[in-house]
Amino acid sequence: MQEAYELAGQPFNLGSPKQIGEIFFTKLGLPIVKKTPSGAPSTDEEVLEKLAEDFPLPAKLLMHRSLSKLKGTYTDKLGQLANPRSGRVHTHYAQAVAVTGRLSSNDPNLQNIPIRTAEGRRVREAFVAPPGHVIASADYSQIELRIMAHISGDESLLRAFTEGIDVHRATAAEVFGTPVDKVSSEQRRYAKVINFGLIYGMSSFGLAKNLGIETKAAASYIDRYFARYPGVKRYMDETRASAKEQGYVETVFGRRLYLPEINSPNGPRRGGAERAAINAPMQGTAADLIKLSMVAVQDVLDTEGRATKMIMQVHDELVFEVPEAEVEWVRTAVPRIMAEVADLKVPLLAEIGFGPNWDKAH
DNA sequence: AGGTTAAGCGCG
DNA sequence: AAAGCGCGCTTAACCT
């Protein structure tokens, strides 16, 4: 998109990294917050949010970035990609691209349709059901944390899921030493970031940056977490160790990810491999489970001669086009099949919603 | 004209 | 030295 703007009488283009750099860091004298891997001053979202505290231009650029992303990637593009015969967009799923065993989606990618902002959700609303049908979305609840509980065998984490407690709330109670029903919304928010961070092998440095706190404070949260969930600590240590010994890690169902850099003398590379080793069993087992679900659900649809169609997969979510007459059947059958697809040490939970479009189905 | 890389950002 | 896993798509800039 060519959008000409003007600053001090000179035209410039908001889409040009070179021009942004020249304007921000040379002409206006804004501080360089961080650099990209190649050494250029970064202008990513995190940097711009910080610069916006002291200067007016970065906020405008952020607005332009988000809107042009939506327009250029989705609004302008999806309509062009509709098949003239079916009037629909038909994605391609790749089964052997993602190293963890996930599917990937391309041309168009339907696994990154916006949902996190109100403007973005308007794109999602364009995915509509035909007359007489509704869209159903069935997704696994906290699937990766449940898998972490299963693999690690950690008693407290297993108990939280078995008793059906909100897992972020449970974590907050443990880490902050508060009764479960006294957890504040900020404590829960912190616990949620900690839980997600653990799945990705995040360090105290990363946690600190994410929460906007001191690295030492973040380190003490992590220490408290591991004190309360010693099984998770053991999982992290043993997974790293066995990855170094064997050169690979495995999902619960035995699919392997080889990690050739796990013993590299190069620190950053080795660190990357260690984080992948922590994450892959969880992300990969989740991928195994939803693949089993896809097969199991389709098998029942076929056997029973149902008219419901499975139309998309988004990692922990299956999307269906459902004739109105089959809604009540789908509402009970699909989450049950998804929950019963494997017998782990924790119950699996799948939730389902219905609506006239993909957004409203959530 | 066409391909590749860097940077950034959409999702789970 | 880097610091959070896995993807695909877009634009600008650079290269052949």
Side-chain angles (χ1 to χ4, degrees):
Chain A
M1 259 169 294
Q2 303 275 339
E3 314 262 354
Y5 287 77
E6 197 180 288
L7 186 75
Q10 282 187 277
F12 69 96
N13 187 337
L14 273 181
S16 161
K18 207 177 162 187
Q19 289 188 8
I20 302 285
E22 277 164 22
I23 292 164
F24 273 36
F25 305 111
T26 309
K27 287 190 181 167
L28 299 181
L30 272 62
I32 294 171
V33 177
K34 70 172 173 184
K35 293 188 174 180
T36 68
S38 74
S42 171
T43 70
D44 71 13
E45 196 173 335
E46 183 194 336
V47 167
L48 262 32
E49 291 287 1
K50 178 146 184 69
L51 293 176
E53 293 171 11
D54 299 304
F55 304 90
L57 198 52
K60 298 197 182 295
L61 180 51
L62 281 169
M63 176 77 71
H64 180 273
R65 286 253 182 98
S66 61
L67 293 175
S68 60
K69 179 84 174 184
L70 292 177
K71 183 173 187 291
T73 307
Y74 305 103
T75 314
D76 288 348
K77 284 283 153 56
L78 285 172
Q80 300 171 10
L81 291 169
N83 180 295
R85 233 159 8 112
S86 66
R88 295 168 176 239
V89 287
H90 301 268
T91 189
H92 300 256
Y93 288 109
Q95 286 185 281
V97 168
V99 295
T100 53
R102 278 185 172 182
L103 302 184
S104 75
S105 161
N106 61 76
D107 297 306
N109 182 356
L110 297 185
Q111 291 178 325
N112 72 343
I113 300 300
I115 193 169
R116 294 174 188 173
T117 67
E119 297 75 29
R121 280 198 294 275
R122 296 179 63 189
V123 172
R124 192 166 280 243
E125 288 177 6
F127 290 76
V128 297
H133 295 65
V134 294
I135 299 292
S137 165
D139 68 289
Y140 278 115
S141 168
Q142 306 295 354
I143 186 73
E144 291 182 355
L145 285 173
R146 285 174 197 264
I147 292 163
M148 186 161 84
H150 171 83
I151 298 178
S152 71
D154 184 275
E155 277 186 38
S156 303
L157 202 53
L158 286 172
R159 193 183 325 118
F161 283 120
T162 303
E163 293 178 4
I165 302 170
D166 176 307
V167 68
H168 301 316
R169 179 170 284 275
T171 298
E174 294 288 356
V175 170
F176 296 107
T178 326
V180 173
D181 56 354
K182 291 280 197 301
V183 169
S184 73
S185 60
E186 190 184 25
Q187 287 174 327
R188 185 181 183 281
R189 187 174 64 79
Y190 270 45
K192 189 174 176 179
V193 173
I194 293 170
N195 278 332
F196 273 104
L198 284 165
I199 291 171
Y200 300 144
M202 194 163 65
S203 67
S204 57
F205 178 90
L207 181 63
K209 207 163 64 168
N210 219 293
L211 291 174
I213 60 176
E214 293 296 318
T215 305
K216 284 195 170 184
S220 100
Y221 288 148
I222 292 176
D223 285 346
R224 275 144 78 181
Y225 181 96
F226 284 141
R228 292 296 184 169
Y229 298 97
V232 175
K233 170 70 171 161
R234 196 181 325 118
Y235 163 72
M236 301 281 168
D237 293 341
E238 285 176 1
T239 300
R240 258 189 297 263
S242 98
K244 285 175 190 300
E245 220 169 278
Q246 303 184 110
Y248 62 83
V249 292
E250 285 183 345
T251 67
V252 169
F253 299 92
R255 191 166 29 67
R256 291 180 183 177
L257 172 64
Y258 281 85
L259 297 157
E261 300 197 311
I262 194 74
N263 290 309
S264 169
N266 180 312
R269 286 177 181 270
R270 188 179 61 247
E274 287 177 3
R275 293 189 295 277
I278 299 290
N279 174 261
M282 293 179 273
Q283 186 181 131
T285 299
D288 294 340
L289 287 169
I290 198 153
K291 284 175 171 176
L292 290 169
S293 276
M294 292 171 77
V295 172
V297 170
Q298 190 58 50
D299 188 50
V300 173
L301 291 175
D302 291 343
T303 303
E304 298 195 8
R306 298 285 173 178
T308 292
K309 288 181 178 138
M310 193 188 314
I311 59 175
M312 284 188 280
Q313 187 256 45
V314 191
H315 309 309
D316 66 353
E317 170 189 12
L318 298 177
V319 183
F320 301 87
E321 192 173 280
V322 183
E324 275 160 13
E326 291 186 9
V327 165
E328 292 314 313
W329 178 80
V330 168
R331 191 191 303 280
T332 56
V334 168
R336 181 179 52 75
I337 295 166
M338 290 173 72
E340 291 177 354
V341 76
D343 190 17
L344 303 186
K345 294 174 188 165
V346 284
L348 294 178
L349 176 64
E351 299 173 323
I352 192 163
F354 298 83
N357 60 58
W358 193 7
D359 183 56
K360 297 292 184 296
H362 277 91

